Amino acid sequence: MGPEEDGTNPMDEDGDGDAEEQGRDMEAWEKAYAEDRSWEALTEDASGLLLAVDVTQQQRQHRRRFAASKGPRIQRGIIRYVFVVCDFSRAAAEADFKPSRMGAVANCVEAFVREFFDQNPLSHLGLITIRNGVARRLTDLSGSPEAHIRALRANLECSGDASIQNAIDLARGYLSSIPSYGHREVVILYSALSTCDPGDIMDSIAECKKANIRCSVVGLSAEIYICKTLCDKTGGVYSVAISESHLKELVLEHAPPPPAVAESAVASLVRMGFPQRGAEGTVALCACHREVKLGGGYTCPRCKARVCELPTECHICGLTLVSSPHLARSYHHLFPVPGFEEVSVQLQSMGKFDVLRLCYGCQQELPTAGSKAIAGVRLECPRCKQHFCFDCDVYIHESLHNCPGCESLVK
Amino acid sequence: MKFKIEGLTVYFPYEFIYPEQYQYMVELKRALDAKGHCLLEMPTGTGKTITLLSLITSYQLANPVGKLVYCTRTVHEMEKVLDELRRLHAYQEKEIGKEAAKILALGLSSRKNMCVHPEISGEGSRESVDAGCRKLTASWVRIAAVDNPNIKTCDFFENYEKKGADALLPPGVYTLHDMRSFGREKGWCPYFLARHMIQFANVVVYNYQYLLDPKVSGIISREMEKECIVVFDEAHNIDNVCIEALSVNIRQQTLEGATRNLGKISQVIEKFKATDANRLREEYNRLVEGLAQRGNLPVADNWLANPVLPDDILREAVPGNIRRAEHFVAFLKRLVQYIKGRLLTEVVESEGPLSFLNSLNKECSIDQKALKFCYDRLQSLLTTLEITDTDEFLYIQSICDFATLVGTYQRGFAIIIEPYDDRMPNIPDPVLQLSCLDASLAIRPVFERFQSVVITSGTLSPIDLYPRLLNFNPVIFKSFTMTLTRDCLCPMILTRGSDQLPVSTKFDMRSDPGVVRNYGRLLLEMVAAVPDGVVCFFVSYSYMDGIINSWNEMGILQEVMQHKLVFIETQDVVETTLALDNYRRACDCGRGAVFFSVARGKVAEGIDFDRHYGRLVIMYGIPFQYTLSRILRARLEYLRETFQIKEGDFLTFDAVRQAAQCVGRVIRSKADYGMMIFADKRYNRHDKRSKLPGWIQTHLRDAHLNLSTDMSLHIAREFLRKMAQPYDKKGQGTNATLLSQADLEKMEQMENMQA
């Protein structure tokens, strides 16, 4: 190959260096301000004084977000069997998430496990890690959050390639044996950008689909085609995190139970036992630890074996053991409190609601038309027609899951 | 949807239209109204094809204009155009009824793509299918077959001929596939049917060659009326296509083959003299009357027409010294002998056609006028001698082609004789190149003959250079940008490696180990950060070979392979196809892959790396042409003298359009996203950067110039994360990228109010 023609004026051949500074990227701290533009929300009045931020607008926005995430009332899978797959391959050592991708994943998984059992007390969860191209099961499907977190914390190192196929094959092996009323899910936290598979991953995906396993992926670096395919085919959700906090948000989105898949949504009866807590001081042979334990524990109502914690399956007779608060806590996913409706200002001004001056929840004064003293929205429960303030609305829908107005109706 | 543009009702088969499509239609309509040529640049992925089709067919419905002649580069593109047209037609039928929307649209390609004969269509190459077809359909074969049933003919052609003028296609849109199945069903030859139907069709889709190559256009496109609208799609390389159509290379084996051909022709002449001397005499008489006879021959015998502009010499009589068959053969023998002698030279020779003619005249007393008629004279002779295996006579045909071109054009051509390839000076491989230097020669008849010629592509920048290269005056030339709901393009100019040393493929820098290593580190960092497919373009095969070797020795390649599989384009088409196939599979199954390819290669021109098949393109260096090439030198000189285009300007323009073409492979639609890295410090200079197409330049922010490897890695990571977020496809407010019928009506009202 000969020399190349290089334009006309060789003089400015090495003219780089001067203009480079002006185009530099912003520093990270600058970016947070430049992108948020928080100052734009501030408004000034005629005399140049800052006006208070419009609380009503903010509250409306929050409610809109909440309503969007809620959706219509649908059947949900309450009894879930979930494997969380953590990719601890070479790519997890990258430090673009602090302290490292692996650390960020571990933190998120820890938060997720707690949140998961809080929202789904009847469900089971297991952990799988991928390292050196091999998927390994860290913990079996079980109901105790502490055991999972302990196992994860003890296994924080990363190396080698990642393999999605190995992971979902392993998970499928465990999930395919669970009873049909359980919802099978795999949530993958994926750091790597490629997958080194022993065989055709498309077959594995097809098998997952056949076994009704819903696979979701949370990516840490970029959108990967195969992950998208996996999620699309199995009905899962694919998302990619931008930052540590976004990652946590995305992972926690998997905590509430997903909508039930149509074909597996046939109603079926599940036999459950409600064991009694043993008296302090009794000595019994523990079925889960295979040793003699003193006090505490629960006794299976069918075979009288002792188990340490609930919910679980009896190790002797296989009965599902739960306590009634567990059931109750899962209940709200199925029968959510109806969304409250905002009472429009026009109706207020007609003087119709003078009686309902106070919030039925907290007994604080509610905003009324005309008076500027209290900003915010006024909300009404469609069933009991009581009025609530914004804070109570959030508390009722996000934590309490009961409407005090409806509960105190005389039935 | 249906809307009005300056009074013209346009039928558009989709519910929404991009704003730039609308703008494009407006400009196109103005050009059609002005009955002039136009030059329009619009990025790929914005639906150019449907925009063109939709406006022009609507225009045809409203105004009495001729056919739409749509030229594409490949058969694949042709099928895509016809598919779009079918959708459009279905919509038009729904809107204005079957009768009103009646059109006939068809594609035309070579016999190889259209033949339905069970044996012939299985032949491998285009030439063998052509020859096989002639063996069955030539008029004398068919006459002989009437008496002798053992002689094979083609049933499809016979059936088609029997029907004569009644063999017609019902209106509709026909792809090549549809033509074949229609032919099979009716038992008619689809190739000849298509050629026949062109004169009745409203829309004809075919290859550039059918219009630009005078050899072909003479027969296929002769009967087009002046009011036709001609569209050249993907026309960024149109000057090269024009030049190729008029260039001839003659090598040693061409001459040997030509000598063999001539020997065979002499034998046949002798045989005919003994058996059927009448035929030769008849031919002689015909030649006296002039070549206008060609129109009288049956269609199937028209092989290839005259390479000269048709009107020039058709009416003249063939010069006396080549009228007799044996004289003509002797004439050709002398010519071949002369060229053979010229090829023996030890040094490179370069001259214009005039001096070549002069020495030819002196040494063998061959004059220019006789040369001019060579091509037609040969066709006439081969027809008279009833020679059907034309693929064997390609050698003598290219000699006559050469002779006619030299005889016809005194300007705009160069004859260059090189005794060996520069890259391998020890192996003698003499070649005589007749190189066309002026792209406007081949396209001039098109501009002159047709009322409106539309030249369009995704990359026509700088757009003012094309009118000069092709020597025409467009009434409208315009470049459109793409409206996007999100910044899904991320071009970057990388000038330095992580160690801050500049990188470039300049000749004095390219083999510097520091540059090679920095290029390698760039690839390595990127494959670790970019998912699925990555494509790298190099400036030439030899450079690619060299750098891959060095990377292998440095261990960079092994590290790359930990992240992605590596595939390489070679000069072997089959091997490359296989590599591409496996590359796609690696991208599909999540393993990830890198494809190493060469700018100006097959892959850079025709293969799309859309969606996950190409999330990143790295363009290593600026793909300048090989500037020591004598043909290029001659062309540069010619451009400078004739069109006042500076050498540097042309070289940069050509290199940057190739680079833009390469990186444009990643983005094929608005929903897609991709990054482009121009890895050479020279891209940072304004004269290079400003020649990039507008739709790249608008996304090339200041922050993305003059980057080093680590900075671009940072940008890449953020870009990929941002693109992975869900987004609103429609866009809002000023950002709107989709216009509905209501939006357009509103716009129209606004305009009316202003007017």
Side-chain angles (χ1 to χ4, degrees):
Chain A
M1 209 52 199
E4 286 173 342
E5 181 61 30
D6 195 80
T8 42
N9 43 348
M11 285 310 289
D12 63 8
E13 194 50 49
D14 286 304
D16 40 17
D18 297 333
E20 73 184 64
E21 291 307 320
Q22 64 188 17
R24 264 287 156 70
D25 236 10
M26 278 181 287
E27 300 289 342
W29 64 268
E30 284 177 302
K31 213 170 279 178
Y33 291 95
E35 281 170 10
D36 274 2
R37 300 182 164 269
S38 50
W39 59 88
E40 283 183 359
L42 298 177
T43 42
E44 288 176 12
D45 64 5
S47 54
L49 293 172
L50 282 183
L51 282 178
V53 180
D54 191 349
V55 182
T56 321
Q57 273 312 319
Q58 273 188 350
Q59 291 182 352
R60 281 198 188 120
Q61 232 168 32
H62 184 273
R63 280 176 48 76
R64 211 174 300 138
R65 261 206 311 272
F66 187 72
S69 66
K70 213 62 188 188
R73 199 164 122 187
I74 39 168
Q75 188 174 1
R76 288 175 184 273
I78 292 297
I79 305 178
R80 305 164 72 189
Y81 290 81
V82 180
F83 264 110
V84 176
V85 179
C86 299
D87 161 25
F88 288 154
S89 64
R90 201 184 313 114
E94 292 258 5
D96 53 352
F97 285 41
K98 300 292 177 244
S100 68
R101 286 185 189 176
M102 180 172 60
V105 166
N107 291 341
C108 285
V109 171
E110 192 177 327
F112 173 72
V113 170
R114 290 183 199 285
E115 180 73 20
F116 178 82
F117 284 115
D118 195 42
Q119 294 209 24
N120 313 277
L122 297 181
S123 301
H124 298 249
L125 185 137
L127 289 179
I128 290 176
T129 56
I130 316 173
R131 194 175 291 137
N132 292 324
V134 181
R136 200 164 69 89
R137 191 195 55 171
L138 274 191
T139 54
D140 200 357
L141 286 169
S142 70
S144 104
E146 292 311 320
H148 298 305
I149 293 167
R150 246 193 334 270
L152 182 70
R153 285 288 168 205
N155 268 289
L156 284 185
E157 55 192 77
C158 53
S159 62
D161 292 315
S163 166
I164 295 181
Q165 192 189 13
N166 281 341
I168 58 178
D169 279 351
L170 184 71
R172 183 163 50 87
Y174 289 106
L175 288 175
S176 49
S177 61
I178 63 161
S180 64
Y181 56 80
H183 281 257
R184 305 152 189 206
E185 287 174 61
V186 176
V187 177
I188 305 174
L189 279 80
Y190 207 63
S191 301
L193 281 173
S194 62
T195 161
C196 258
D197 299 323
D200 189 355
I201 189 166
M202 296 301 173
D203 294 345
S204 296
I205 295 177
E207 289 287 321
C208 275
K209 194 174 157 51
K210 224 192 297 171
N212 278 328
I213 301 175
R214 180 180 191 264
C215 301
S216 300
V217 180
V218 178
L220 273 82
S221 39
E223 183 187 85
I224 307 161
Y225 175 74
I226 192 70
C227 294
K228 212 176 158 84
T229 320
L230 172 70
C231 297
D232 283 353
K233 291 230 167 107
T234 58
V237 179
Y238 183 41
S239 46
V240 176
I242 293 179
S243 61
E244 290 90 337
S245 54
H246 189 223
L247 174 69
K248 195 160 185 175
E249 228 171 83
L250 293 177
V251 175
L252 290 184
E253 266 172 25
H254 292 284
V261 195
E263 59 245 42
S264 67
V266 280
S268 60
L269 292 174
V270 184
R271 188 188 288 266
M272 282 184 178
F274 296 89
Q276 269 187 329
R277 188 165 172 84
E280 293 296 323
T282 43
V283 179
L285 188 65
C286 173
C288 30
H289 295 88
R290 298 182 192 193
E291 58 187 48
V292 178
K293 287 251 172 152
L294 189 69
Y298 301 87
T299 315
C300 169
R302 190 154 68 182
C303 65
K304 305 293 182 228
R306 180 193 183 281
V307 290
C308 285
E309 41 187 25
L310 292 183
T312 183
E313 257 171 40
C314 174
H315 292 259
I316 308 297
C317 64
L319 186 66
T320 309
L321 302 177
V322 293
S323 69
S324 69
H326 288 145
L327 270 185
R329 243 154 65 203
S330 300
Y331 211 59
H332 76 264
H333 293 300
L334 299 178
F335 304 105
V337 185
F340 291 175
E341 284 150 18
E342 194 179 333
V343 184
S344 72
V345 187
Q346 282 85 5
L347 284 176
Q348 283 183 45
S349 62
M350 282 157 71
K352 201 172 155 194
F353 296 122
D354 281 350
V355 210
L356 302 167
R357 229 167 30 82
L358 299 177
C359 164
Y360 193 79
C362 57
Q363 300 297 314
Q364 301 287 313
E365 208 166 324
L366 279 173
T368 44
S371 90
K372 283 265 179 246
I374 305 154
V377 289
R378 176 192 273 257
L379 304 151
E380 184 191 59
C381 171
R383 228 180 315 168
C384 63
K385 305 290 178 198
Q386 296 292 357
H387 285 198
F388 294 91
C389 67
F390 174 74
D391 290 329
C392 286
D393 171 50
V394 174
Y395 178 64
I396 288 168
H397 282 99
E398 292 179 13
S399 313
L400 193 62
H401 306 298
N402 272 323
C403 168
C406 302
E407 292 299 317
S408 50
L409 280 179
V410 186
K411 290 186 181 147
Chain B
M1 63 197 279
K2 191 168 80 173
F3 51 90
K4 277 189 181 291
I5 293 181
E6 295 172 1
L8 172 74
T9 314
V10 177
Y11 300 91
F12 192 73
Y14 299 101
E15 241 166 85
F16 294 98
I17 185 169
Y18 297 141
E20 60 269 32
Q21 285 181 317
Y22 182 76
Q23 288 303 321
Y24 191 96
M25 286 186 181
V26 171
E27 298 295 337
L28 187 58
K29 157 145 198 311
R30 287 179 188 156
L32 295 183
D33 281 342
K35 300 191 192 312
H37 312 312
C38 65
L39 197 61
L40 299 168
E41 179 188 58
M42 187 157 85
T44 43
T46 46
K48 255 196 317 283
T49 310
I50 188 64
T51 315
L52 276 165
L53 290 174
S54 162
L55 186 94
I56 297 179
T57 50
S58 303
Y59 199 86
Q60 280 178 326
L61 286 174
N63 300 298
V65 288
K67 304 181 201 331
L68 163 61
V69 181
Y70 199 106
C71 301
T72 64
R73 286 182 313 173
T74 60
V75 175
H76 177 67
E77 280 168 19
M78 187 158 125
E79 299 283 73
K80 268 203 298 204
V81 171
L82 285 163
D83 274 339
E84 288 270 24
L85 186 61
R86 195 202 308 271
R87 187 169 304 144
L88 173 66
H89 181 232
Y91 175 75
Q92 282 182 346
E93 268 185 352
K94 206 179 81 196
E95 281 293 314
I96 54 173
K98 267 201 153 56
E99 268 313 296
K102 204 156 86 177
I103 61 165
L104 175 62
L106 55 94
L108 177 66
S109 183
S110 66
R111 289 181 174 89
K112 180 175 186 305
N113 295 320
M114 300 194 79
C115 183
V116 288
H117 191 275
E119 287 151 35
I120 309 269
S121 58
E123 294 271 353
S125 75
R126 205 180 72 193
E127 284 79 15
S128 52
V129 176
D130 283 359
C133 179
R134 271 188 206 107
K135 263 181 210 147
L136 299 182
T137 58
S139 55
W140 55 89
V141 174
R142 295 178 50 224
I143 291 166
V146 174
D147 306 328
N148 181 358
N150 289 335
I151 295 177
K152 268 201 274 180
T153 55
C154 174
D155 294 338
F156 293 100
F157 185 74
E158 294 303 320
N159 285 340
Y160 163 73
E161 275 292 292
K162 244 178 254 160
K163 281 279 168 191
D166 296 337
L168 292 176
L169 268 178
V173 179
Y174 295 88
T175 61
L176 292 185
H177 180 77
D178 299 336
M179 285 299 293
R180 281 199 300 268
S181 35
F182 181 82
R184 256 189 220 113
E185 187 189 310
K186 290 268 181 183
W188 295 344
C189 173
Y191 174 74
F192 285 100
L193 180 63
R195 266 177 57 175
H196 177 61
M197 290 310 293
I198 279 183
Q199 48 182 316
F200 307 108
N202 307 80
V203 181
V204 183
V205 185
Y206 55 36
N207 193 277
Y208 278 20
Q209 245 66 27
Y210 287 91
L211 217 49
L212 288 182
D213 193 339
K215 291 186 285 260
V216 194
S217 72
I219 19 174
I220 303 291
S221 316
R222 195 173 29 180
E223 284 162 19
M224 303 265 180
E225 57 271 45
K226 178 164 174 42
E227 288 75 25
C228 285
I229 299 165
V230 178
V231 175
F232 290 101
D233 197 3
E234 299 289 332
H236 45 272
N237 272 340
I238 194 166
D239 53 326
N240 293 340
V241 178
C242 292
I243 282 175
E244 264 164 43
L246 290 184
S247 294
V248 185
N249 279 6
I250 296 176
R251 286 173 187 281
Q252 202 84 46
Q253 71 254 38
T254 323
L255 292 172
E256 279 157 15
T259 320
R260 268 201 312 278
N261 292 159
L262 285 173
K264 198 158 177 202
I265 292 177
S266 315
Q267 278 174 14
V268 182
I269 292 176
E270 288 307 314
K271 204 174 82 197
F272 263 94
K273 263 192 184 156
T275 56
D276 193 5
N278 250 348
R279 276 195 77 90
L280 291 170
R281 203 166 309 124
E282 271 169 29
E283 188 201 17
Y284 181 90
N285 292 338
R286 264 210 317 269
L287 293 174
V288 176
E289 286 157 22
L291 282 166
Q293 43 79 21
R294 289 186 315 124
N296 304 332
L297 288 176
V299 199
D301 297 346
N302 266 343
W303 292 358
L304 301 164
N306 197 308
V308 212
L309 313 179
D311 294 343
D312 284 4
I313 57 164
L314 276 185
R315 273 172 285 282
E316 281 182 68
V318 175
N321 57 350
I322 56 170
R323 267 184 223 158
R324 275 195 172 285
E326 54 271 38
H327 291 174
F328 180 58
V329 170
F331 173 89
L332 284 181
K333 272 185 185 153
R334 282 211 306 283
L335 180 65
V336 169
Q337 205 55 46
Y338 173 75
I339 298 175
K340 243 184 211 167
R342 289 300 298 267
L343 278 186
L344 288 179
T345 173
E346 292 283 304
V347 290
V348 178
E349 289 174 29
S350 169
E351 58 188 343
L354 270 181
S355 70
F356 183 84
L357 284 176
N358 196 13
S359 60
L360 189 63
N361 199 2
K362 247 191 279 174
E363 286 187 32
C364 336
S365 52
I366 289 177
D367 70 334
Q368 179 213 343
K369 188 159 180 229
L371 277 177
K372 211 152 84 169
F373 283 89
C374 269
Y375 200 88
D376 286 288
R377 181 64 191 93
L378 180 73
Q379 300 314 328
S380 162
L381 182 65
L382 290 182
T383 319
T384 314
L385 297 182
E386 303 182 350
I387 288 169
T388 51
D389 36 2
T390 40
D391 49 340
E392 279 178 32
F393 285 83
L394 281 180
Y395 301 112
I396 191 68
Q397 282 181 24
S398 56
I399 297 278
C400 289
D401 202 359
F402 167 79
T404 308
L405 284 172
V406 172
T408 316
Y409 295 103
Q410 270 80 56
R411 277 188 58 77
F413 279 81
I415 294 166
I416 292 160
I417 305 170
E418 287 180 294
Y420 48 77
D421 194 322
D422 268 348
R423 275 155 261 189
M424 286 169 285
N426 302 322
I427 306 163
D429 178 26
V431 57
L432 182 145
Q433 296 154 305
L434 173 74
S435 168
C436 174
L437 305 176
D438 190 348
S440 64
L441 286 180
I443 205 166
R444 194 174 57 210
V446 179
F447 284 132
E448 278 171 4
R449 247 178 60 201
F450 299 110
Q451 177 172 302
S452 296
V453 178
V454 181
I455 293 181
T456 185
S457 171
T459 45
L460 283 177
S461 298
I463 204 160
D464 51 334
L465 197 59
Y466 281 87
R468 279 156 81 194
L469 276 179
L470 301 177
N471 198 15
F472 74 110
N473 283 322
V475 286
I476 284 180
F477 60 98
K478 203 162 165 143
S479 174
F480 301 88
T481 53
M482 182 158 36
T483 52
L484 294 168
T485 36
R486 51 175 190 172
D487 278 335
C488 64
L489 275 182
C490 182
M492 293 181 246
I493 291 180
L494 179 128
T495 54
R496 297 161 286 154
S498 293
D499 53 6
Q500 305 304 321
L501 290 176
V503 291
S504 175
T505 55
K506 257 173 68 183
F507 185 64
D508 50 349
M509 280 177 75
R510 60 164 51 163
S511 44
D512 180 351
V515 172
V516 173
R517 192 172 46 246
N518 268 333
Y519 273 154
R521 303 291 325 169
L522 168 66
L523 178 64
L524 195 53
E525 301 274 1
M526 285 300 163
V527 291
V530 178
D532 301 326
V534 173
V535 191
C536 300
F537 286 100
F538 296 90
V539 289
S540 69
Y541 280 109
S542 60
Y543 180 65
M544 180 170 78
D545 291 348
I547 202 165
I548 291 178
N549 259 332
S550 320
W551 285 350
N552 188 29
E553 282 159 20
M554 291 174 181
I556 289 174
L557 215 53
Q558 287 73 10
E559 278 182 70
V560 168
M561 283 205 268
Q562 287 194 336
H563 297 282
K564 293 195 190 305
L565 304 181
V566 174
F567 297 94
I568 301 176
E569 178 189 5
T570 61
Q571 268 149 318
D572 182 351
V573 179
V574 181
E575 213 169 50
T576 305
T577 316
L578 203 66
L580 265 175
D581 215 40
N582 284 323
Y583 169 80
R584 292 225 172 86
R585 272 179 46 202
C587 292
D588 280 337
C589 78
R591 181 65 184 84
V594 196
F595 196 84
F596 290 154
S597 177
V598 169
R600 298 171 195 278
K602 269 264 175 287
V603 172
E605 266 302 312
I607 310 291
D608 286 350
F609 292 102
D610 55 341
R611 298 175 299 134
H612 61 287
Y613 296 126
R615 286 296 181 213
L616 167 70
V617 190
I618 306 178
M619 178 74 232
Y620 284 110
I622 302 184
F624 282 113
Q625 286 191 54
Y626 175 56
T627 44
L628 286 194
S629 146
R630 293 192 173 74
I631 297 180
L632 182 63
R633 287 253 149 257
R635 184 165 176 215
L636 287 175
E637 203 169 305
Y638 183 82
L639 285 177
R640 197 182 54 222
E641 284 169 4
T642 322
F643 299 124
Q644 286 80 44
I645 298 173
K646 275 194 255 161
E647 287 182 15
D649 278 355
F650 179 76
L651 284 173
T652 314
F653 147 76
D654 183 64
V656 175
R657 81 170 159 186
Q658 292 302 337
Q661 192 56 33
C662 291
V663 298
R665 302 276 107 201
V666 279
I667 186 136
R668 280 346 232 180
S669 83
K670 291 192 174 187
D672 201 0
Y673 64 90
M675 295 184 291
M676 312 156 170
I677 295 183
F678 297 92
D680 193 309
K681 64 170 181 171
R682 291 171 292 176
Y683 281 113
N684 211 33
R685 286 165 44 187
H686 186 259
D687 66 321
K688 308 278 190 301
R689 212 180 342 135
S690 63
K691 290 194 171 65
L692 286 170
W695 53 278
I696 294 184
Q697 273 188 58
T698 48
H699 288 91
L700 195 59
R701 281 176 291 156
D702 281 350
H704 290 182
L705 300 177
N706 200 13
L707 298 174
S708 64
T709 305
D710 46 337
M711 289 154 82
S712 56
L713 182 68
H714 182 70
I715 295 177
R717 281 207 171 129
E718 284 207 354
F719 175 77
L720 287 169
R721 289 216 172 95
K722 209 166 80 194
M723 285 301 118
Q725 305 307 317
Y727 71 105
D728 173 23
K729 288 193 173 64
K730 211 176 145 198
Q732 270 156 3
T734 51
N735 233 353
T737 56
L738 291 175
L739 301 175
S740 66
Q741 189 159 346
D743 293 335
L744 287 175
E745 275 160 16
K746 222 181 292 164
M747 273 166 65
E748 202 186 4
Q749 274 172 11
M750 295 272 280
E751 266 164 44
N752 287 344
M753 298 245 287
Q754 279 168 3

